[in-house]
Amino acid sequence: MATPQTRPADQYSPLYFLASLGAGGLSVTFFMFLMFWVPHKGQPVPVFEDIMAAWAAGNPALQAAIVIAMAGIAFFTVLNIKSLLWNLSAYSAFKQTDAYEKLRNSNAESTLLAMPLALAMTVNALFIVGLVFVPQLWTIVEFMFPAAMVAFGLIAVLAFRLIGDFLGRVLSKGGVFDVTAHNSFAQLLPAFAVAMIAVGFSAPAAMSTNPTTVAAALIISTVLGVIAILYTILAATTAVSSMLQHGTAREAGPTLMIIVPIVTVLGIMFIRQDHGLHTTFDGHSTAADTLTFLTRMISIQIAFLGLGAVVLKAQGYFNDFVLGSKTSPGSYALVCPFVAFSVMTHFFVNKGLVAAGAVAKYGTAYWSFTAIAIIAQIIAIALVLRLNKQHFAKRDVVAVPAE
């Protein structure tokens, strides 16, 4: 008789939606190569025609970058969608179990927000795939923006229903929220989800030429962005108090760096809004303003990357849950900070330093800073591949001998 096999992911948690999120985020890191290295006059982002023109006229280094970028986008978007579909199926089955009811009546109810977070990332990833691989897409883009906003609107409804259920339960009656188990930044997941939806809504603000579309994108993304910021501040403040009293929950240690992706998505949202205000409503900010803003954003990220690294090292988290044999669905929260830091570094270098004239594009300083972004990207790729192997590879079930 064959030995029965199982895998850690069979013990389902909504946090596995972060596996889909991380893969989708990696597709964005590869798009940064095209965004900042492929000329794209006439629109704010490169499209298929720009990429093909750059390939035809480019040197071998640029051609290699284009191949790597397109392959990376294709691979990680497929992985993103595959993981999302698996999660939706597993989540549907999970809802029929007693474990789901237990989760809905605990602090961990907020982990359900990983679903709208992953859904919003997939919409963003699919838009990138359209830009990169679909010819003539830009000719119908004004019709796509309202459709994308409807999709993000539906995801926002789902997110706020889940947030409403959670806050309605814990704030309407005392004693149902375990403050002693609030010793991590796990409760910032709803803020991250709302921020991801906000950055999706902000895309038409930067890319559309229709004033009504731009205004709607500006207003809705601002409302969602402000809500995300308020939620982040309140949840983080109360969590720090609990961590100081009880220490950081070991399996939730990676959440200490969740501020990093929140800062990236909100930072991109503000940049998109600023571009829309400039091109459509004659609002102007200088390159120096953008450099200052991005420097402040990346400073926050460095602070929380450092905090997370210190705590995770003290807890021996990597040795146990990444390099060792132990598994925790929360380990996927490690991917997002490195993805987000990589993306923000690209923006800091190109929209900040280069645009302000602080460094020359493609000079020594430029590649030195860009190398930091690429190193963070490589770490994120290694984490995704390692964690997928840990959590989704089948293992033989070892029989426990009778006493």
Side-chain angles (χ1 to χ4, degrees):
M1 186 174 68
T3 303
Q5 291 184 317
T6 186
R7 57 186 185 176
D10 292 333
Q11 298 295 316
Y12 185 72
S13 165
L15 288 175
Y16 278 118
F17 276 104
L18 297 181
S20 175
L21 175 72
L26 279 169
S27 71
V28 178
T29 65
F30 283 101
F31 182 68
M32 292 296 99
F33 296 1
L34 305 177
M35 177 74 179
F36 295 119
W37 301 343
V38 170
H40 45 91
K41 290 184 179 180
Q43 70 278 327
V45 290
V47 295
F48 175 82
E49 289 75 16
D50 299 315
I51 297 166
M52 292 302 99
W55 171 268
N59 56 44
L62 178 58
Q63 290 177 334
I66 289 172
V67 169
I68 292 170
M70 295 182 75
I73 290 168
F75 176 80
F76 284 105
T77 301
V78 169
L79 187 60
N80 162 261
I81 295 171
K82 179 182 176 182
S83 179
L84 179 66
L85 293 175
W86 176 84
N87 268 284
L88 291 173
S89 175
Y91 177 71
S92 179
F94 177 66
K95 288 179 70 174
Q96 310 305 316
T97 66
D98 292 338
Y100 174 76
E101 290 302 319
K102 183 179 179 181
L103 180 143
R104 289 299 297 259
N105 289 283
S106 70
N107 290 18
E109 184 179 8
S110 61
T111 62
L112 297 178
L113 271 297
M115 176 171 57
L117 173 60
L119 289 170
M121 173 55 80
T122 297
V123 175
N124 287 320
L126 289 175
F127 186 73
I128 287 174
V129 168
L131 292 175
V132 174
F133 293 102
V134 180
Q136 300 298 316
L137 183 74
W138 203 254
T139 60
I140 61 167
V141 75
E142 290 295 346
F143 299 99
M144 293 178 59
F145 289 141
M149 292 172 71
V150 169
F152 282 116
L154 293 173
I155 297 171
V157 170
L158 171 62
F160 282 114
R161 285 185 62 182
L162 292 172
I163 293 172
D165 289 345
F166 176 64
L167 293 182
R169 179 177 65 83
V170 301
L171 296 179
S172 63
K173 39 190 176 178
V176 297
F177 185 80
D178 186 357
V179 178
T180 62
H182 185 31
N183 53 338
S184 71
F185 279 173
Q187 294 302 326
L188 271 67
L189 191 59
F192 188 10
V194 175
M196 184 65 73
I197 299 168
V199 77
F201 264 111
S202 70
M207 302 179 198
S208 177
T209 56
N210 185 306
T212 302
T213 301
V214 173
L218 278 167
I219 293 168
I220 298 172
S221 62
T222 297
V223 171
L224 294 172
V226 169
I227 291 172
I229 292 169
L230 291 174
Y231 204 114
T232 298
I233 294 171
L234 292 173
T237 302
T238 54
V240 168
S241 176
S242 183
M243 284 189 284
L244 290 174
Q245 293 183 57
H246 308 287
T248 302
R250 190 157 188 258
E251 288 197 31
T255 64
L256 292 178
M257 297 187 286
I258 197 174
I259 295 290
V260 179
I262 292 175
V263 166
T264 289
V265 293
L266 290 177
I268 294 173
M269 181 195 76
F270 286 126
I271 290 172
R272 286 174 168 178
Q273 290 177 336
D274 183 70
H275 185 80
L277 288 169
H278 170 69
T279 57
T280 305
F281 298 115
D282 204 31
H284 299 285
S285 60
T286 67
D289 294 331
T290 303
L291 174 59
T292 302
F293 169 74
L294 289 171
T295 302
R296 289 168 179 166
M297 294 299 99
I298 210 163
S299 298
I300 296 171
Q301 292 185 321
I302 291 170
F304 280 94
L305 283 170
L307 173 64
V310 167
V311 175
L312 292 174
K313 181 180 179 182
Q315 293 181 329
Y317 187 93
F318 274 89
N319 289 336
D320 284 346
F321 293 101
V322 178
L323 304 176
S325 59
K326 294 182 180 179
T327 58
S328 168
S331 298
Y332 279 99
L334 288 170
V335 177
C336 299
F338 290 101
V339 166
F341 188 68
S342 176
V343 172
M344 182 56 79
T345 302
H346 279 293
F347 273 90
F348 171 70
V349 173
N350 292 277
K351 294 291 187 181
L353 295 174
V354 173
V359 301
K361 192 164 187 176
Y362 307 136
T364 302
Y366 179 90
W367 289 118
S368 297
F369 284 111
T370 300
I372 298 173
I374 294 174
I375 290 170
Q377 178 186 25
I378 292 170
I379 293 172
I381 292 170
L383 282 169
V384 165
L385 298 179
R386 169 62 180 169
L387 293 174
N388 283 353
K389 182 179 179 181
Q390 278 187 304
H391 289 261
F392 291 93
K394 290 186 177 181
R395 307 175 181 178
D396 291 338
V397 178
V398 179
V400 179
E403 293 183 8

